[in-house]
């Protein structure tokens, strides 16, 4: 049986479980759309933590909570219902199709997003314009529940409603909120494409050629870290250790840092990669990195990791009042090649 709870998601079970009615498996994407912004007047994205609290602890929010809350800027997930329970994010009129239950599963996802939201100084008009971090993991989990990679009413490209109860009841796959009978919402407006598995090669490459195939690094850690102002703090990711161990002849990874800017709005953030021996001794001076903009703070590393060395990442916050700064979430992602 597939996992009832998405691997890697924070579990915040709000109870109120109920079975679905059976039938074709479905997934329903939404966006939170909690602010109305425009290209002329964008607005800051509502913090992920606010939405977690709303759906997980607020009475009104719990009554409309989806299965999954997804932050496409950080790759964070929080799950409120197990996959085999209905959730209540869809309007359901009496006497017609039971929208929240019409399938073997009806997995509902709320992406933390609204059109023309502003994150890290950049404005995003469509969900597909965001980094969509974590989409591959989310898709893989939903697919494990038998939801096929099809949009019976078309993949959303705008906010035009299109609804057919006969299609909804007879076909499995992905439906935007704008496609569901008895509902008047027009979201999500756009949604990332299904990941495409690499085509098998014929003949199978010889072992000597396998070094050319990149590995994907995609790790995150949502545990708060309190950074003393001016002090370098090494970070651990999923394996609670180094980022990677050599030999890594080619690499292009990005560290994403998201801090509590509400309590320390003027704090500056610095990040750096460094090497140690395999046993953790002999730390090098920092390695050259490139800082990138975007959501939060991003630091890029593209220097090979030699045999017998480990690559680490550390962060330092400098606040004008010398108070500690809270690191809310960190992630690291990108391709690398092994020898």
């Amino acid at each position: 049986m597939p996992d009832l709870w998405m691997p890697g998601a924070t579990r915040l079970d709000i109870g109120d479980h109920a079975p679905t009615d059976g039938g074709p498996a479905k997934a329903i994407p939404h966006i939170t759309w909690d602010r109305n912004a425009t290209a002329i007047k964008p607005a800051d994205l509502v913090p992920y933590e606010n939405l977690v609290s709303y759906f997980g602890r607020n009475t009104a929010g719990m009554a409309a909570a989806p299965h999954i809350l997804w932050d496409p800027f950080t790759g964070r997930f929080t799950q409120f219902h197990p996959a085999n329970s209905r959730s209540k994010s869809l309007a359901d009129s009496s006497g017609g199709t039971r929208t929240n239950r019409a399938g073997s599963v009806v997995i509902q996802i709320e992406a933390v997003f609204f059109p023309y939201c502003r994150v890290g100084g950049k404005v995003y008009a469509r969900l597909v314009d965001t980094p969509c971090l974590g989409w591959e993991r989310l898709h893989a989990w939903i697919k494990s529940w038998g939801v096929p990679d099809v949009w019976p009413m078309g993949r959303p490209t705008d906010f035009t409603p299109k609804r057919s109860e006969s299609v909804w009841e007879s076909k499995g796959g992905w439906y935007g909120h704008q496609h569901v009978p008895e509902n008047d919402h027009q979201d999500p407006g756009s949604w990332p494409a299904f990941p495409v598995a690499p085509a098998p090669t014929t003949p199978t490459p010889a072992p000597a050629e396998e070094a050319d195939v990149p590995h994907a690094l995609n790790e995150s850690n949502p545990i708060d870290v309190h950074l003393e102002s001016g002090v370098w703090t090494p970070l651990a990711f999923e394996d609670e250790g180094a980022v990677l161990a050599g030999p890594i002849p080619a690499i292009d990874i990005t560290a994403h840092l998201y801090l509590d800017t509400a309590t320390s709005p003027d704090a500056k953030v610095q990040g750096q990669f460094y090497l140690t021996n395999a046993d953790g001794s002999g730390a090098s001076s920092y390695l050259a990195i490139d800082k990138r903009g975007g959501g939060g703070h991003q630091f890029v590393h593209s220097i090979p990791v030699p045999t017998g060395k480990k690559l680490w990442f550390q962060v330092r916050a400098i606040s004008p009042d010398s108070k500690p700064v809270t690191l809310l979430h960190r992630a690291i992602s990108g391709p690398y090649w092994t020898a």
Side-chain angles (χ1 to χ4, degrees):
M1 181 179 181
D3 293 311
L4 290 171
W5 301 90
M6 178 181 165
T10 299
R11 185 187 303 186
L12 183 53
D13 188 353
I14 62 174
D16 190 22
H17 302 172
T20 58
D21 292 342
K26 300 181 178 73
I28 318 299
H30 309 247
I31 57 175
T32 51
W33 210 334
D34 26 24
R35 287 179 179 165
N36 290 318
T38 65
I40 298 175
K41 192 174 182 180
D44 290 337
L45 186 70
V46 175
Y48 174 79
E49 293 75 15
N50 291 19
L51 274 302
V52 170
S53 180
Y54 175 71
F55 286 124
R57 301 179 180 90
N58 178 281
T59 301
M62 292 169 68
H67 291 82
I68 293 283
L69 181 69
W70 172 36
D71 183 348
F73 295 94
T74 67
R76 289 180 289 180
F77 299 93
T78 298
Q79 186 170 352
F80 306 102
H81 296 280
N84 62 352
S85 171
R86 62 90 180 93
S87 62
K88 295 182 177 179
S89 295
L90 295 170
D92 184 5
S93 303
S94 61
T97 181
R98 300 213 294 177
T99 54
N100 291 298
R101 302 178 186 240
S104 56
V105 291
V106 185
I107 299 175
Q108 304 199 46
I109 312 101
E110 288 274 3
V112 181
F113 180 80
F114 56 84
Y116 303 105
C117 64
R118 182 172 49 225
V119 178
K122 181 177 179 180
V123 176
Y124 298 86
R126 305 176 304 159
L127 177 69
V128 292
D129 298 331
T130 74
C132 291
L133 292 175
W135 163 236
E136 291 83 1
R137 291 194 294 128
L138 174 63
H139 168 264
W141 177 68
I142 291 176
K143 190 169 185 176
S144 74
W145 279 96
V147 179
D149 286 350
V150 295
W151 294 89
M153 296 192 203
R155 179 182 166 201
T157 57
D158 56 29
F159 294 99
T160 303
K162 179 183 178 182
R163 298 183 170 96
S164 167
E165 185 163 343
S166 62
V167 173
W168 164 259
E169 291 187 340
S170 62
K171 296 184 182 297
W174 288 73
Y175 291 83
H177 195 172
Q178 66 207 100
H179 298 150
V180 182
E182 302 176 2
N183 284 253
D184 59 6
H185 285 210
Q186 301 172 7
D187 60 304
S190 71
W191 199 258
F194 300 126
V196 178
T201 57
T202 304
T204 302
E209 298 177 334
E210 290 182 355
D212 294 333
V213 180
H215 300 267
L217 181 66
N218 187 8
E219 297 184 358
S220 64
N221 195 321
I223 299 175
D224 290 358
V225 175
H226 298 287
L227 305 173
E228 295 296 330
S229 180
V231 178
W232 285 108
T233 302
L235 295 183
F237 293 87
E238 285 186 347
D239 62 358
E240 296 301 326
V243 175
L244 287 171
I248 305 293
I251 187 170
D252 185 14
I253 61 174
T254 302
H256 313 261
L257 307 178
Y258 297 86
L259 288 90
D260 184 2
T261 54
T263 57
S264 305
D266 298 320
K268 295 182 179 180
V269 181
Q270 298 172 322
Q272 62 188 30
F273 293 87
Y274 64 97
L275 295 174
T276 69
N277 296 324
D279 62 1
S281 65
S284 70
S285 59
Y286 72 89
L287 303 174
I289 58 175
D290 299 314
K291 184 178 185 299
R292 288 184 182 170
H297 301 269
Q298 300 182 18
F299 301 90
V300 182
H301 175 76
S302 56
I303 298 176
V305 182
T307 300
K309 298 291 185 179
K310 286 186 175 181
L311 180 68
W312 303 76
F313 182 79
Q314 60 184 355
V315 62
R316 177 170 68 179
I318 301 176
S319 56
D321 53 10
S322 298
K323 292 182 179 179
V325 179
T326 301
L327 176 64
L328 298 173
H329 185 88
R330 66 269 196 193
I332 195 159
S333 61
Y336 66 95
W337 288 258
T338 56

